[in-house]
Amino acid sequence: MNDAAPAPTPAPAPRRARVRAPELIGKGGWLNTGGKELTLADLRGKCVVVDFWTFCCINCLHVLDELRELEEKHRDTVVIIGVHSPKFVHEAEHAAVVDAVERYEVHHPVLDDPELATWKQYAVRAWPTLVVIDPEGYVVAQHAGEGHAHAIERLVEELEAEHEAKGTLRRGDGPYVAPEPVATDLRFPGKAVLLPSGHLLVSDSTRHQLVELAADGESVVRRIGSGERGFGPEAFSEPQGLALLPDGRVVVADTVNHALRVFDPATGAVETVAGTGRQWWQGSPTAGPALEVDLSSPWDVAWWQGRVWIAMAGVHQLWTWDPEAGTVQVAAGTTNEGLVDGPAAEAWFAQPSGLAAAGDRLWIADSETSALRYVEREEEGYVVRSAVGTGLFDFGHRDGDAAQALLQHPLGVTALPDGSVAVCDTYNHALRRFDPATGQVTTLATDLREPSDAVLVGEDIVVVESARHRLTRLRLPEEAVRVESVAHRTQRAATEVAPGTLRLDVVFQAPAGQKLDTRYGPSTRLLVSSTPPELLAEGEGAGTDLFRDLVLNPDVTEGVLHVSAMAASCDDDPANEYPACHVHQQDWGVPVTVTASGAARLPLVLAGMDG
């Protein structure tokens, strides 16, 4: 006789939409697999998170950091697969993808997809996009943008339980194989600054250190930081920009720590002066005590007009830090991504990544618009203007008049003694020059490997060759090199849409266990604009609904729709008086062509599945 209580009936698995996952294919092949070609069949039994990314994209870099904890916590059940899907021509070079995987410490397999084959199979429209595939090979979720790690972890836990019960979960090591480390004094250095001693201080970004070099630019004097990723007196996380303060100390953009640090060359001490270590999100304070306000991927810093100006790449803005007052605040930019000039508060930037102070101007390398821009002060306040560059989708290597000259994802800018500026034209592997007096763009040097910064040392300019892991000294030529014109547009195919009214639907489903946060009003936001502005006859502007009817101008047959969406969700637990809340946000630039056979609906997935 068996007196044991009957086993409880297991709860039925949650029903969710499932679509068979397309195969993972890419002409560039696989990285971080020890040479093995992976297929979805090899991944059967695992929860797979496919991360569509490109290494120029700051939001993609944020997602890489968000996924690290998930990757470690669920390492025996989850396999993250990066699918590198390039925007810029340089990003389609296999060697550049290999460099980026090491530079950003990507510890999972990566498929190099230079022709966007897998991107198209999965109907991806935005960098970054995350797709979750269950252990049986079905797509069960899609998320665009950043801020989704908590939702994906919750889904992974559900999938683990469901497929453990079904016997379809396979635990054990994943297919990641670490590459062999390479010994060099610097590893993907980011920025440099000349110290009063004549030495050079370099941010050794991938090794999470600062390195002081002797005047020869080669001999290592000392290293600052433990070399391990962290946030403390002895640790940095992918530091980038450096600027000399009037008192001889150096302010450091500690990029992945979302903080500013100050290094004292005299004592070797490092202190945090701005940022909390947390990433800024929409709705967070934009001004206040520097150590109480969140920042977002500060990429460069410059001392100008009595303050430190910050290229806040993560939110497409410029901020300032006032050392005397101990405060930070937004100085320019709206957080919308694009190229819009005008009063500082209304300007749009796209991942500003380099700064240089030059008298009454602050020069900016605005990387995602492949632009050189500047801020200057007028009677009514600060104003932003563009010198070179037209927008998110046009780039190349073209000299001549600034109105038609082209750059490709520049990361650094340096003021020259004659009033001109040198631009580290990173993805063109070149050093360029813009002369405000003549309005001409020329090329100073080529065959540099991903130059990311340059420093004047006497009559020479010392260039940080990031992908060659070294500093390179060049004599400033009296006459610049001139190159033949090369122009490119982003290679994404345009979406064909029908003329007349176009229904825009941003798909958002609150993750399991969460609900929209409506305690303080609408929890969603939608902002729509276009390039050219004439593309939209109706529908431009901001609103709180995640859908909108756009009316296309019949006289404009192609352009780009700029869509920015945000949704806030909170844990749905009535017993919890202070539920955790989460922000989901993404910006899309969707190239469109108006054709009679085009679609009348444009769905953009923020989170969930488009029914």
Side-chain angles (χ1 to χ4, degrees):
M1 183 175 177
N2 187 351
D3 294 326
T9 302
R15 293 185 61 84
R16 57 175 68 89
R18 299 202 312 171
V19 178
R20 176 64 71 178
E23 191 54 80
L24 303 172
I25 53 174
K27 193 173 182 180
W30 288 88
L31 305 176
N32 285 353
T33 63
K36 178 179 172 61
E37 297 285 318
L38 294 182
T39 66
L40 284 176
D42 298 324
L43 304 173
R44 199 61 51 80
K46 298 288 190 181
C47 303
V48 180
V49 180
V50 183
D51 176 17
F52 290 89
W53 69 297
T54 188
F55 63 77
C56 73
C57 162
I58 191 67
N59 310 92
C60 299
L61 303 186
H62 289 167
V63 166
L64 286 176
D65 291 317
E66 289 178 3
L67 292 176
R68 294 186 199 280
E69 185 176 346
L70 176 72
E71 202 165 19
E72 179 61 31
K73 186 176 178 181
H74 297 270
R75 60 188 310 164
D76 68 331
T77 59
V78 171
V79 174
I80 295 175
I81 299 290
V83 177
H84 188 268
S85 312
K87 171 186 175 182
F88 290 99
V89 169
H90 169 58
E91 293 175 305
E93 297 175 14
H94 183 69
V97 181
V98 173
D99 284 348
V101 168
E102 180 189 349
R103 180 195 298 266
Y104 297 115
E105 296 183 301
V106 180
H107 293 164
H108 51 251
V110 173
L111 176 64
D112 180 9
D113 182 18
E115 297 176 347
L116 302 180
T118 296
W119 166 287
K120 294 170 186 173
Q121 286 293 310
Y122 280 78
V124 174
R125 294 184 184 274
W127 293 281
T129 291
L130 296 168
V131 175
V132 181
I133 301 173
D134 73 12
E136 293 179 295
Y138 289 89
V139 173
V140 293
Q142 182 171 329
H143 301 266
E146 50 185 301
H148 301 293
H150 63 282
I152 290 175
E153 181 170 16
R154 175 72 178 264
L155 176 56
V156 162
E157 290 169 350
E158 291 178 359
L159 292 173
E160 287 174 342
E162 176 185 340
H163 289 274
E164 187 94 80
K166 291 174 65 175
T168 49
L169 185 71
R170 178 166 56 89
R171 294 184 179 272
D173 291 339
Y176 170 69
V177 178
E180 290 294 321
V182 182
T184 53
D185 286 334
L186 300 173
R187 205 69 192 161
F188 299 104
K191 305 285 186 181
V193 68
L194 183 65
L195 298 175
S197 64
H199 290 180
L200 289 155
L201 187 68
V202 184
S203 56
D204 198 17
S205 303
T206 297
R207 293 213 177 107
H208 315 297
Q209 290 182 314
L210 310 180
V211 178
E212 184 177 342
L213 301 176
D216 61 9
E218 298 180 7
S219 305
V220 176
V221 175
R222 60 175 161 170
R223 295 181 179 274
I224 300 96
S226 66
E228 297 293 327
R229 185 189 297 273
F231 188 32
E234 300 296 325
F236 298 93
S237 188
E238 297 182 34
Q240 287 285 343
L242 306 168
L244 195 66
L245 296 173
D247 61 8
R249 297 183 302 159
V250 178
V251 61
V252 182
D254 195 3
T255 304
V256 177
N257 277 329
H258 309 295
L260 297 189
R261 322 289 293 282
V262 166
F263 165 64
D264 188 343
T267 65
V270 175
E271 65 172 318
T272 302
V273 295
T276 62
R278 297 184 300 270
Q279 184 183 341
W280 185 95
W281 288 98
Q282 290 286 352
S284 301
T286 56
L291 290 170
E292 298 175 15
V293 176
D294 300 339
L295 308 181
S296 183
S297 297
W299 206 275
D300 203 8
V301 281
W303 178 260
W304 186 58
Q305 297 196 345
R307 296 183 179 186
V308 171
W309 287 66
I310 309 163
M312 203 71 78
V315 285
H316 317 300
Q317 290 180 312
L318 304 182
W319 289 42
T320 60
W321 167 56
D322 184 337
E324 288 193 16
T327 56
V328 293
Q329 65 180 34
V330 174
T334 64
T335 76
N336 294 315
E337 184 179 12
L339 191 153
V340 176
D341 290 338
E346 300 171 15
W348 291 23
F349 297 95
Q351 220 167 294
S353 302
L355 299 175
D360 59 356
R361 285 184 178 178
L362 178 70
W363 292 95
I364 306 150
D366 200 27
S367 63
E368 278 294 287
T369 53
S370 297
L372 173 66
R373 307 176 72 185
Y374 60 92
V375 178
E376 59 185 356
R377 188 158 199 161
E378 297 185 346
E379 288 185 11
E380 65 273 18
Y382 290 111
V383 176
V384 177
R385 293 192 171 90
S386 296
V388 182
T390 58
L392 287 165
F393 298 97
D394 292 290
F395 54 91
H397 193 154
R398 179 191 287 156
D399 286 336
D401 186 75
Q404 54 86 50
L406 294 172
L407 309 169
Q408 187 180 179
H409 197 82
L411 290 178
V413 60
T414 306
L416 300 179
D418 64 356
S420 66
V421 290
V423 180
C424 286
D425 193 5
T426 309
Y427 287 4
N428 280 328
H429 311 298
L431 188 67
R432 311 286 293 282
R433 174 177 176 263
F434 169 67
D435 185 353
T438 64
Q440 294 292 301
V441 175
T442 50
T443 298
L444 295 173
T446 58
D447 193 32
L448 300 167
R449 189 69 185 170
E450 291 193 19
S452 55
D453 197 19
V455 182
L456 282 176
V457 181
E459 295 182 353
D460 296 338
I461 188 165
V462 176
V463 179
V464 180
E465 278 199 89
S466 189
R468 282 200 178 112
H469 320 293
R470 71 187 189 193
L471 303 188
T472 298
R473 187 180 296 262
L474 303 173
R475 178 58 56 92
L476 280 170
E478 294 183 10
E479 293 186 6
V481 180
R482 191 174 182 92
V483 301
E484 294 183 7
S485 299
V486 180
H488 302 288
R489 280 187 66 82
T490 299
Q491 58 181 311
R492 279 188 296 164
T495 298
E496 293 188 355
V497 297
T501 300
L502 175 67
R503 174 71 171 207
L504 172 65
D505 281 323
V506 174
V507 178
F508 178 76
Q509 296 153 6
Q514 295 179 30
K515 64 179 180 179
L516 287 174
D517 179 14
T518 57
R519 292 173 297 169
Y520 308 109
S523 61
T524 55
R525 186 189 69 165
L526 180 64
L527 179 67
V528 180
S529 62
S530 66
T531 302
E534 297 77 23
L535 175 64
L536 285 178
E538 295 179 23
E540 184 178 5
T544 56
D545 291 325
L546 291 181
F547 58 86
R548 191 174 302 174
D549 287 330
L550 309 179
V551 178
L552 304 177
N553 184 339
D555 298 327
V556 181
T557 58
E558 64 178 13
V560 178
L561 291 175
H562 303 284
V563 181
S564 178
M566 184 273 289
S569 62
C570 286
D571 293 344
D572 188 9
D573 181 0
N576 186 353
E577 186 177 356
Y578 303 104
C581 294
H582 315 275
V583 176
H584 318 256
Q585 63 184 51
Q586 173 61 19
D587 296 331
W588 291 267
V590 184
V592 296
T593 300
V594 181
T595 63
S597 60
R601 176 176 177 264
L602 176 62
L604 300 176
V605 177
L606 179 59
M609 299 281 283
D610 180 24

